[in-house]
Amino acid sequence: ILVRFRWTTAIATTPTVANYWITYGWGIDDVKLFENLEYDLTLDKVVWGVGADLFPYYKTPIAQVQPIKIGGIVTNNGSLPSTDAKFTANVASVSFAGASAATPLAAGESDTLYTTTEFTPTAAVGSFTINGFNVNSVLHPETDANNSITAPVVIEVTNNTYARDNGVKDGLFRDVNKAAYEIGNWFQIWEPAATMGLDVFVESTTSTGAAIFATIRDGERTLVAQSQEYIVKATDKNKFITLKFDEFI
């Protein structure tokens, strides 16, 4: 085995510019070479959601409960093919144990393996913990930490709250030019329903006195309803507030 370390300019498109080669020094330490395992399945990520688009709802009204597809992104990091990679997940409170079909994976190949049975929450108010995420092989069983993801997915069935967040903000948007804009989430409506308001998280950088309002649009983005204008107060920041419509929509 021959190993070579080489330093070069960070701007390779202009190699003749002398200043692009200047450096204060560089060094190599703690180099370790090892042989790849013959069989090494890795569970990279858990994916789950409802419908073909896999919308992940952390809170679902009873009337909108649907089967949840659960899967894992699996990579064969071994040097040999795996002939029977299988992903598993469970919901212990309702005795749900899901497993994918045994799937062949070539060395270096990744694929998303879904449980052959989808999980349908009980249509009653309550919470469900989805965990036990693991990938393994019957022919070549493994016990490595990278075979599992221990962080659970906790979902709720509610009377009337529909949410794709898990109670915390997962991003923010603002227009530095202070121009008006509209952002939102898609929700799948499986049964007729009515709503009186929408919740929104007010970021700490939101200007006190900013005017905001809630809208509902259909699948063609046609406006269905709009709330009255709401003026942001200082006490609204860093929390969710509810923007209410004048009547049920």
Side-chain angles (χ1 to χ4, degrees):
I1 298 176
L2 298 178
V3 179
R4 178 173 67 177
F5 299 95
R6 184 179 65 177
W7 177 86
T8 187
T9 173
I11 309 176
T13 55
T14 53
T16 60
V17 180
N19 287 339
Y20 290 170
W21 290 81
I22 294 175
T23 183
Y24 290 102
W26 64 291
I28 299 172
D29 192 12
D30 299 332
V31 176
K32 183 179 180 180
L33 303 178
F34 58 92
E35 185 177 1
N36 198 19
L37 297 173
E38 292 183 343
Y39 300 101
D40 184 16
L41 294 172
T42 301
L43 180 56
D44 300 316
K45 183 180 180 180
V46 171
V47 293
W48 62 280
V50 172
D53 295 314
L54 288 185
F55 283 11
Y57 300 114
Y58 284 92
K59 293 183 179 180
T60 304
I62 293 173
Q64 306 301 329
V65 168
Q66 292 291 309
I68 298 172
K69 198 172 185 178
I70 307 170
I73 300 176
V74 176
T75 300
N76 179 11
N77 287 312
S79 61
L80 296 178
S82 174
T83 59
D84 64 342
K86 182 177 288 189
F87 167 80
T88 57
N90 63 66
V91 184
S93 61
V94 290
S95 301
F96 172 84
S100 72
T103 305
L105 291 175
E109 182 182 5
S110 295
D111 199 359
T112 304
L113 311 185
Y114 292 98
T115 60
T116 56
T117 302
E118 297 178 348
F119 167 60
T120 303
T122 306
V125 173
S127 64
F128 302 87
T129 299
I130 310 172
N131 55 13
F133 306 121
N134 183 268
V135 64
N136 222 312
S137 162
V138 174
L139 294 177
H140 305 284
E142 305 171 27
T143 58
D144 300 328
N146 63 8
N147 290 112
S148 302
I149 291 179
T150 58
V153 173
V154 180
I155 62 173
E156 294 181 50
V157 174
T158 68
N159 282 320
N160 48 37
T161 300
Y162 214 175
R164 290 180 59 180
D165 64 85
N166 59 353
V168 296
K169 68 169 187 176
D170 59 2
L172 63 91
F173 180 86
R174 63 179 179 179
D175 191 308
V176 295
N177 297 317
K178 297 185 177 180
Y181 62 88
E182 188 173 349
I183 58 174
N185 266 333
W186 289 106
F187 287 85
Q188 297 152 306
I189 305 300
W190 306 96
E191 296 293 338
T195 183
M196 190 65 186
L198 302 179
D199 292 343
V200 62
F201 188 90
V202 181
E203 175 62 32
S204 60
T205 55
T206 303
S207 299
T208 299
I212 60 176
F213 53 85
T215 62
I216 294 180
R217 295 182 180 273
D218 62 19
E220 302 300 322
R221 293 183 172 84
T222 301
L223 183 65
V224 174
Q226 180 173 311
S227 72
Q228 297 292 326
E229 188 177 83
Y230 178 86
I231 304 302
V232 174
K233 303 186 292 290
T235 53
D236 292 329
K237 298 182 182 183
N238 280 320
K239 64 182 181 182
F240 284 93
I241 64 171
T242 301
L243 303 177
K244 295 183 178 180
F245 298 104
D246 292 335
E247 58 184 5
F248 279 103
I249 306 302

